[in-house]
Amino acid sequence: RQLSDYPFDEEDHRWSPNGKHIAFTYNAGRHVNRRIALITLSGHQEHLVELLPEYWQGDSFGARWSPDSKKIVFVSDENGQNAIYQIELSNKAPTLLLNSPYELSDPSWSPDGNYLSYLENNNGNIRLRLYDTKSQTQRSLALRAGVHSNPVWNNDSKSVLILYESWNYPREVWSYSIEGGRERISDTLP
């Protein structure tokens, strides 16, 4: 069945872990900032909710659920810089978590909800970074220059799998521990 009838482009739909909501990105046409919306499923009826305030002008995308289905993080340039924001479903007020002069993407909660991994693009050098939700600190997990992509958390919340490639390394899977260090999982070199 059709869950939304937005006359806009929709993308990046994500089920909440509890299965009661779907968050997604939409935009109202070319050269218009993207926004975040939510479909709440209740019985045979769906409720569509715009998550960002009316005054919000930033290009916003990449909504990702917290493990408890109570919060969503997303990327936006609302404050003039690339930033990751959080929305608690109880009050729907966006809160700035971190910002950067560089392009941010792919925020992802650790399964225990204590960390966010994300990618930071500094002139083509795309690094895996980690935000500690308790201490509100951030740091790089990636030690080498190159392109990191497609981060996926391990179920134990202790490491992140990622694709890594550079001018002298083919694309391979690496595991980065949140305690530091890395391990190559795949080896495509002869």
Side-chain angles (χ1 to χ4, degrees):
R1 70 183 174 181
Q2 183 174 343
L3 296 179
S4 73
D5 58 359
Y6 259 146
F8 313 122
D9 295 330
E10 299 174 14
E11 62 186 23
D12 202 19
H13 295 75
R14 300 289 171 148
W15 282 101
S16 61
N18 67 11
K20 296 180 180 180
H21 311 282
I22 300 170
F24 63 95
T25 302
Y26 75 92
N27 67 359
R30 284 182 69 151
H31 311 295
V32 175
N33 287 339
R34 293 170 286 182
R35 295 183 63 82
I36 306 295
L38 176 76
I39 297 173
T40 298
L41 308 170
S42 58
H44 294 291
Q45 194 170 11
E46 295 82 30
H47 304 284
L48 188 69
V49 176
E50 164 66 51
L51 285 183
L52 300 175
E54 203 171 293
Y55 64 81
W56 196 270
Q57 297 297 312
D59 184 31
S60 305
F61 61 93
R64 299 296 183 266
W65 289 96
S66 63
D68 63 6
S69 300
K70 294 180 179 179
K71 298 176 251 182
I72 293 174
V73 292
F74 64 97
V75 178
S76 182
D77 61 3
E78 170 68 10
N79 69 355
Q81 283 193 315
N82 291 290
I84 294 179
Y85 290 84
Q86 174 179 284
I87 293 179
E88 293 196 31
L89 293 188
S90 60
N91 65 16
K92 296 185 180 63
T95 305
L96 176 66
L97 292 183
L98 60 103
N99 60 21
S100 173
Y102 307 114
E103 179 183 339
L104 301 177
S105 65
D106 295 295
S108 179
W109 292 91
S110 62
D112 64 11
N114 293 327
Y115 301 96
L116 286 171
S117 66
Y118 62 97
L119 299 177
E120 183 179 71
N121 183 349
N122 179 354
N123 297 315
N125 182 26
I126 302 173
R127 293 202 181 244
L128 175 64
R129 297 199 39 98
L130 186 73
Y131 176 78
D132 185 320
T133 61
K134 291 183 179 180
S135 68
Q136 299 180 343
T137 58
Q138 53 185 311
R139 62 187 167 91
S140 181
L141 285 181
L143 304 174
R144 295 176 163 237
V147 176
H148 295 80
S149 61
N150 302 85
V152 177
W153 279 95
N154 189 328
N155 288 337
D156 65 8
S157 298
K158 294 181 179 180
S159 61
V160 180
L161 285 177
I162 195 150
L163 291 174
Y164 169 76
E165 63 185 306
S166 70
W167 68 272
N168 61 344
Y169 273 99
R171 182 180 291 187
E172 296 181 323
V173 178
W174 289 75
S175 176
Y176 283 90
S177 167
I178 63 168
E179 299 301 323
R182 66 181 191 269
E183 175 186 5
R184 185 169 44 200
I185 303 299
S186 65
D187 189 355
T188 58
L189 294 175

